[in-house]
Amino acid sequence: MNFLQLNFTHAVTLQLAVVSVSSLWLMTPFPKAPVMESVKILKNSKQHKLQAAQEQVCPSDDLIPKRTFHTAKDYIYICRGERLNSLGYYIRISKNGSNKITVPISSKNGETYTAIQGEITYMVTPYELIITKLSKGGSVNFREKVNSAIAADGKPLARGCPDGNNTFVEAKTKNFIVYICGKELPSSYVAVARQGNDKITIPLQSYKFRVGIEDSQFVAVNGDIRYLLTRSTLKVSRDSKTIIKEKVLYWN
């Protein structure tokens, strides 16, 4: 009986000793240098992976973005082309990271880039992103304003109103985007073609404008051509004859 008790006491003492040594080992601080070095390596590794993911937007490492467009919801990149697709690639990445598409560019007109994937057409300009989906009943358009457009050298692409000007009105018709610009008061009429982005800037001859008033009216004259913009209509005439008349689809 004493023999069994002795063995039991010995076992308990040995177990307590092991626990004490383990506890002492756990409480002993690690050298700071190796720990900090490990954290640094892990952090750098994560940053490298994140940077690589951000940079690798084009189909291959040999291709780089030559245009970058930002909208409220998306990043759109125009990547350089190669032998297979000489016009390049249209890349659209949602800002929440949930979606990315890559489509070869089918046509380019100035700074207008168009890519077609099945029944869906993607068109981006420095001013807007337009997605058109064909359906049996016709077509459905999704439009989103481009907040910034940047070239490969980091310089911004052409915008509506000049730097230092306020935008009093932004109006869109089927074929044009029109800006009424100025500093303290409206002073210029800027029109951009939605295809090709040809742009004209003309001083205003006269205007009637109050924020929130539906009967706003702006008149600009360039030689024998007269431009009239109202809340409802864009009208261009030459020698009193109307050559363009389009409904205003968007007014802000």
Side-chain angles (χ1 to χ4, degrees), residues 158-184:
R159 295 294 300 153
C161 291
D163 290 340
N165 277 228
N166 294 312
T167 302
F168 291 92
V169 171
E170 178 183 349
K172 295 180 182 179
T173 70
K174 180 180 179 181
N175 293 300
F176 300 97
I177 304 174
V178 179
Y179 301 91
I180 302 299
C181 308
K183 294 185 177 178
E184 295 182 0

Side-chain angles (χ1 to χ4, degrees), residues 4 34 69 123 144 161 178 188 212:
L4 291 175
F69 304 94
M123 186 174 75
E144 192 174 6
C161 291
V178 179
S188 60

Side-chain angles (χ1 to χ4, degrees), residues 187-203:
S187 60
S188 60
Y189 169 100
V190 179
V192 180
R194 297 179 84 165
Q195 285 283 351
N197 308 137
D198 291 334
K199 182 178 179 180
I200 60 168
T201 301
I202 307 168

Side-chain angles (χ1 to χ4, degrees), residues 55-68 77-81 88-89 152:
E55 291 177 353
Q56 187 56 47
V57 296
C58 296
S60 72
D61 293 334
D62 297 331
L63 304 178
I64 59 173
K66 62 180 182 179
R67 297 288 186 269
T68 303
Y77 302 92
I78 303 300
C79 294
R80 297 188 184 278
Y89 295 87

Side-chain angles (χ1 to χ4, degrees), residues 6-22:
L6 180 62
N7 282 345
F8 175 76
T9 303
H10 178 72
V12 170
T13 303
L14 181 61
Q15 190 174 26
L16 289 173
V18 171
V19 171
S20 299
V21 172
S22 299

Side-chain angles (χ1 to χ4, degrees), residues 28-44:
T28 302
F30 289 104
K32 291 185 178 180
V35 173
M36 294 303 294
E37 187 65 25
S38 298
V39 171
K40 185 178 179 180
I41 291 172
L42 181 61
K43 184 178 180 181
N44 290 340

